[in-house]
Amino acid sequence: MGSPVVLGIESSCDETGAGLVRDGRLLGHALASSMDAHARFGGVVPEIAARAHVHALTPVVREALAGAGLTTADIGAVAVTTGPGLSGALQVGLAGAKGLAYALGVPLYGVHHLAGHVAADTLEHGPLPDPCMVLIVSGGHTSLLLVRDLARDPITHLGDTLDDAAGECFDKVARVFGLPYPGGPAIDRAAREGDPRAVPFPRPLTTGPPENRFTFSFSGLKTAAARWAERHHGAGLPLPLADGAASLQEAVADVLTRKAVAACAEHGVRTLVVVGGVAANSRVRSLAEERCAAAGITLRVPPLRLCTDNGAMIAAIGDLLVRAGAEPAPLDVSIDPSAPLTYAALHPVAAGARTGHPSAGSRAGRSAGAAAHSRGPALTSPL
């Protein structure tokens, strides 16, 4: 008999996702986005996102099941994002997942959102090699990770962003350029007709002390792009938008791929996996392909539909945890909106309820020192 069907639920930001995975194979998934409701504010409004998740969760789970030709009776485990993310949004997903797991009598697994992004690649390209280098690039995170067994081993951070993440840089500069939210896709579209060498934007932290060689910082680049646009506006000159977008995109892609390939070389790793929303950027993908090919490194990037937040990636990491024999989450599992990525499983609990590191027999258990947060109510009949 094979592994159980794992339902994954994602609600960390403005997308409500559900996915179904068994033995590393995606059976079905569905997604609802509240992005349009946030666009007029130029960013995600947490209260709007949480309300949208309440309305979308049950229909999205039903749609995923229908697409897979399954019913709730076929679900053998439930995985849900317990952090990081927006507190209210996470609470909605966890409440729904708890209700489903309780009603169906199946185990529940809390998972780290970023580990889900890494696992998304396995749905397209199969198991991750041990070891592999992972570059996570999204609206809120930019990290270089050394990954071994994703479901069992601790994840080694070689470098993280000190300030703005790559996607955040795109969003903020897009606003200054007069482009719509979300900024990443808008910058990518505008850059198609531009010259990536037109504006000499800086490449942050590509020189300097050795300890910064794998660290990221995009705040200075954001400021440089904003000042460039302001100079044109102040002089009454038309903004060469395409050139500015192409040059900004080139700077971001250059920094990301340069550091990732250098990390592979330094650690003797022959596979680079690029994941997260910014992995959908056309220049990031093409420059990564060029540099990996030149360095003899295998590049793996998920298909576009699996780069941004989705339920399939949460089901994928849940499936890995189930097959690794990881312990399910405790009944009082909570959320951790600012959880660091140490293990794929994330099982924080409320204050004073439980502390400690996962046991050696269950290294994929709850993260040590997870911050305590109040729990949302369990839904006893969500479908």
Side-chain angles (χ1 to χ4, degrees), residues 13 22 38 81 123 126 169 172 185 191 202 213 232 243 246 283 290-292 331 362 370:
C13 193
R22 174 195 277 164
H38 305 284
T81 303
L123 299 175
C169 175
K172 291 179 177 179
R213 64 193 184 283
H232 282 80
D243 286 346
R283 185 53 180 155
E290 294 172 20
R291 288 181 166 169
C292 283
L331 293 176
S362 178

Side-chain angles (χ1 to χ4, degrees), residues 1-374:
M1 184 175 180
S3 300
V5 173
V6 179
L7 168 68
I9 294 175
E10 158 62 20
S11 69
S12 65
C13 193
D14 59 342
E15 273 117 1
T16 312
L20 296 148
V21 171
R22 174 195 277 164
D23 288 327
R25 187 168 67 90
L26 179 60
L27 306 177
H29 72 113
L31 189 69
S33 176
S34 59
M35 187 179 295
D36 290 346
H38 305 284
R40 67 190 182 97
F41 299 102
V44 177
V45 180
E47 293 81 2
I48 293 176
R51 286 197 295 270
H53 289 308
V54 170
H55 293 293
L57 184 57
T58 295
V60 161
V61 172
R62 285 176 173 163
E63 183 181 345
L65 285 167
L70 301 174
T71 69
T72 54
D74 296 305
I75 297 172
V78 178
V80 61
T81 303
T82 47
L86 302 175
S87 179
L90 290 168
Q91 292 281 18
V92 174
L94 179 57
K98 281 185 175 182
L100 268 169
Y102 179 81
L104 298 173
V106 299
L108 175 70
Y109 295 83
V111 305
H112 198 288
H113 175 79
L114 297 182
H117 275 301
V118 180
D121 182 72
T122 67
L123 299 175
E124 182 72 13
H125 300 119
L128 294 169
D130 178 3
C132 65
M133 192 66 63
V134 175
L135 174 64
I136 295 181
V137 277
S138 67
H141 304 275
T142 303
S143 298
L144 258 178
L145 311 171
L146 184 61
V147 174
R148 295 192 178 277
D149 188 320
L150 182 60
R152 294 184 174 91
D153 292 331
I155 295 166
T156 301
H157 287 245
L158 301 181
D160 299 285
T161 186
L162 300 176
D163 40 58
D164 289 356
E168 187 177 2
C169 175
F170 280 146
D171 284 341
K172 291 179 177 179
V173 174
R175 187 181 309 173
V176 175
F177 283 5
L179 294 171
Y181 175 85
I187 291 285
D188 202 349
R189 289 191 297 270
R192 291 171 186 167
E193 304 301 322
D195 178 0
R197 298 172 298 278
V199 188
F201 287 136
R203 269 56 169 173
L205 297 184
T206 51
T207 59
E211 59 267 24
N212 287 337
R213 64 193 184 283
F214 301 135
T215 302
F216 300 94
S217 170
F218 292 102
S219 179
L221 175 59
K222 171 201 68 181
T223 301
R227 295 291 177 268
W228 173 80
E230 288 167 3
R231 286 195 295 272
H232 282 80
H233 294 319
L237 299 173
L239 186 69
L241 178 58
D243 286 346
S247 298
L248 174 73
Q249 182 173 264
E250 187 69 18
V252 171
D254 182 19
V255 171
L256 291 173
T257 58
R258 187 189 308 189
K259 288 176 179 276
V261 170
C264 289
E266 180 169 318
H267 290 270
V269 176
R270 307 312 304 167
T271 300
L272 172 64
V273 184
V274 183
V275 299
V278 180
N281 178 271
S282 63
R283 185 53 180 155
V284 170
R285 295 170 82 97
S286 65
L287 190 55
E289 289 172 0
E290 294 172 20
R291 288 181 166 169
C292 283
I297 296 169
T298 299
L299 175 67
R300 292 174 42 154
V301 187
L304 295 178
R305 72 183 190 283
L306 296 179
C307 286
T308 53
D309 295 352
N310 61 83
M313 70 185 200
I314 304 305
I317 193 64
D319 173 65
L320 290 175
L321 291 170
V322 168
R323 289 190 281 147
E327 292 181 4
L331 293 176
D332 54 353
V333 65
S334 185
I335 62 167
D336 186 351
S338 57
L341 177 56
T342 306
Y343 288 90
L346 181 64
H347 295 166
V349 295
R354 190 178 282 109
T355 59
H357 192 276
S359 67
S362 178
R363 289 179 293 173
R366 59 188 175 275
S367 63
H373 297 273
S374 61

